[in-house]
Amino acid sequence: MKPETLILPLILLAAAIFLEVVTRTVALADNYRELAAFYDSQQTQYKIAVDLRNQFQGIATETAKLAEIGNPNAVTVMERLKAAGISVQLPAADEKKP
């Protein structure tokens, strides 16, 4: 085969590969935009969940402190939390400043 006869098939092959790369790049860019929009839409719910978790942790910590000093209602709440598989850890004891 003469090299002149291979030019057209090589050009068509290169064009096909180029179009495939462009098509996949556009599809990936669209997917990225969709994921970014989904991520942005979840931020409000995430912040609410973090705030709720922090509030629960504060309440649970205070309840654990009450249970530690013998409050019967707090002991009951802590037992139910434990039965539900929720562990509450007290923060480290604050060191007293002189």
Side-chain angles (χ1 to χ4, degrees), residues 56-57 60 77-89:
F56 173 76
Q57 186 62 40
V77 169
M78 294 308 295
E79 288 173 355
R80 290 190 181 178
L81 287 174
K82 186 176 181 180
I86 301 171
S87 62
V88 177
Q89 297 177 357

Side-chain angles (χ1 to χ4, degrees), residues 19-52:
L19 288 175
E20 180 67 21
V21 169
V22 168
T23 302
R24 289 183 184 228
T25 302
V26 169
L28 286 173
D30 287 342
N31 287 345
Y32 177 78
R33 279 192 292 274
E34 289 174 10
L35 286 172
F38 182 71
Y39 177 81
D40 290 340
S41 72
Q42 295 296 309
Q43 288 306 300
T44 303
Q45 290 86 356
Y46 177 75
K47 288 177 183 176
I48 291 170
V50 168
D51 289 343
L52 183 62

Side-chain angles (χ1 to χ4, degrees), residues 62-72 74-75 90:
E62 294 301 317
T63 304
K65 287 178 184 176
L66 287 173
E68 194 174 66
I69 60 172
N71 184 305
V75 171
L90 289 172

